[in-house]
Amino acid sequence: MSQSKKISFAAATLLVLCAAYAGLTWQQKQSAGRALQEAESARVYVTDFGDVTGIAIENGDARLDFVEDNGTWYYAQDRDCPIRQTTLTNLADQLAALPATRKLENADELASYGLADPKIRFEITTGQQTPATLLIGNQVKAAGSSDIDQAPEEYYACISGGSQVYTIDSSLAETAGKGLYDFIQTESLPTVSGADIRDIAITKEETTSHFVKKEVDGQGNIAWYRDAADTEANRLPDNSQLNNLAQAVSGLSIRSCVNYNATDEELGSYGLETPVMTLTWTCRKDGKDITTTLLIGSMNPEGTGYYVKLKDSKAVNLAGKENVDKVLNAEY
């Protein structure tokens, strides 16, 4: 066989193999698609609502009410409360089409499943339908066992007024155990490195110290100056202390909110009426200067963090003890 014929034969063989592979891949995709459709059609749902516009969570004597208005979720009792939108949106989607892990056939009376007078209730309001209440009862016990610790993380559930009982996963029971502050959007500090910080002012024990960082040549070398004046007389002989302080400041973060709307009277109980330290820093981020002022108050009773507040905010937050201590104890 000539060389040209060998090449032609190899090319033809390759085309056949490619076509066969493409056909096999197409068949696999079709099979996978059919399997997904069959699995979805076999899935059982506890709820089948339209857009959810209201959610009330009851857990014993505790109750939280949330309402949706023009695409935004609010805490019904106080619309100024900063609600974390993704949390409520995801919860609304879950309640609108809640999948069951199992549908009980020939179920016993609701009392057998803790559904006659359940502790946990989700009142669900939609735009087009009468409000419905999802009841969540006892945790499902493992088959052949009375030990709840061996049970799968599932709970019995039903719609109020109905008799059909389902089992669902534990996520809604866990949600019902949360308080308002688990749904609040916590404030945050700029995410920067110490090198991004170019200006720091510290007020501690009624004394204010102010430092500014400047580049001193075209090589990126910097110097720190006291009193925010970049004169040679104010230049610090050693950058290490201010670099360490800037690094400590960049490590500050807000862990949680403890009071989203503190009054002036309440600030005193957090040590924020007369802060231990008031810290202001300016950083360069995305081509813009961002200035932040943080008031640092007293340590929380557990000793795990300090109460802090952004200057123009009503919210009192908690910052981790270790990172705050680095700032409070820094030398400059």
Side-chain angles (χ1 to χ4, degrees), residues 62-230:
R63 180 181 171 106
L64 294 172
D65 286 85
F66 303 99
V67 294
E68 185 269 339
D69 188 2
N70 290 325
T72 301
W73 282 94
Y74 299 92
Y75 177 47
Q77 283 78 2
D78 183 3
R79 289 200 169 203
D80 291 329
C81 180
I83 293 299
R84 189 183 302 116
Q85 295 300 305
T86 54
T87 301
L88 264 297
T89 299
N90 292 339
L91 178 59
D93 291 343
Q94 182 182 15
L95 292 172
L98 177 64
T101 55
R102 187 161 52 102
K103 179 180 179 180
L104 272 62
E105 303 295 345
N106 302 316
D108 294 334
E109 293 183 355
L110 296 182
S112 302
Y113 309 101
L115 292 167
D117 186 21
K119 181 181 179 181
I120 300 174
R121 300 168 182 258
F122 284 81
E123 292 182 12
I124 308 163
T125 304
T126 67
Q128 295 79 27
Q129 300 178 358
T130 302
T133 301
L134 173 71
L135 309 178
I136 300 180
N138 297 335
Q139 187 177 354
V140 180
K141 295 179 181 179
S145 172
S146 60
D147 188 354
I148 200 69
D149 292 334
Q150 297 179 15
E153 289 296 313
E154 296 179 356
Y155 287 78
Y156 295 109
C158 71
I159 298 296
S160 180
S163 58
Q164 180 60 59
V165 178
Y166 305 85
T167 61
I168 60 174
D169 66 30
S170 62
S171 58
L172 287 178
E174 293 167 0
T175 297
K178 296 179 178 180
L180 175 60
Y181 280 85
D182 293 304
F183 295 91
I184 283 180
Q185 180 64 56
T186 305
E187 295 175 328
S188 62
L189 301 177
T191 302
V192 294
S193 68
D196 296 321
I197 296 175
R198 55 202 305 173
D199 190 294
I200 301 176
I202 307 154
T203 300
K204 187 177 181 181
E205 296 177 352
E206 300 183 356
T207 298
T208 298
S209 302
H210 193 179
F211 304 92
V212 64
K213 182 174 68 178
K214 301 275 186 172
E215 286 193 11
V216 294
D217 55 33
Q219 308 300 316
N221 293 313
I222 60 98
W224 282 96
Y225 300 83
R226 65 171 54 87
D227 299 328
D230 55 347

Side-chain angles (χ1 to χ4, degrees), residues 3-59:
Q3 186 68 21
S4 61
K5 288 183 178 180
K6 289 182 179 179
I7 294 173
S8 297
F9 178 77
T13 303
L14 180 61
L15 286 174
V16 171
L17 291 174
C18 288
Y21 176 75
L24 179 61
T25 301
W26 181 83
Q27 288 181 338
Q28 289 175 337
K29 288 183 178 179
Q30 290 293 102
S31 298
R34 284 194 298 269
L36 287 173
Q37 289 178 351
E38 291 172 0
E40 181 60 29
S41 63
R43 178 174 287 188
V44 176
Y45 288 87
V46 182
T47 61
D48 183 16
F49 300 136
D51 293 336
V52 173
T53 58
I55 302 171
I57 307 171
E58 287 189 11
N59 189 353

Side-chain angles (χ1 to χ4, degrees), residues 192-204 208-213 224-225 236 238-252 277-281 296 323-332:
V192 294
S193 68
D196 296 321
I197 296 175
R198 55 202 305 173
D199 190 294
I200 301 176
I202 307 154
T203 300
K204 187 177 181 181
T208 298
S209 302
H210 193 179
F211 304 92
V212 64
K213 182 174 68 178
W224 282 96
Y225 300 83
L236 300 183
D238 184 358
N239 291 330
S240 60
Q241 288 186 340
L242 264 296
N243 286 340
N244 289 339
L245 174 60
Q247 191 63 35
V249 171
S250 72
L252 293 173
M277 176 184 285
T278 298
L279 184 66
T280 300
W281 69 96
I296 301 175
N323 290 336
V324 175
D325 278 339
K326 288 180 181 179
V327 175
L328 293 178
N329 298 326
E331 297 181 1
Y332 49 87

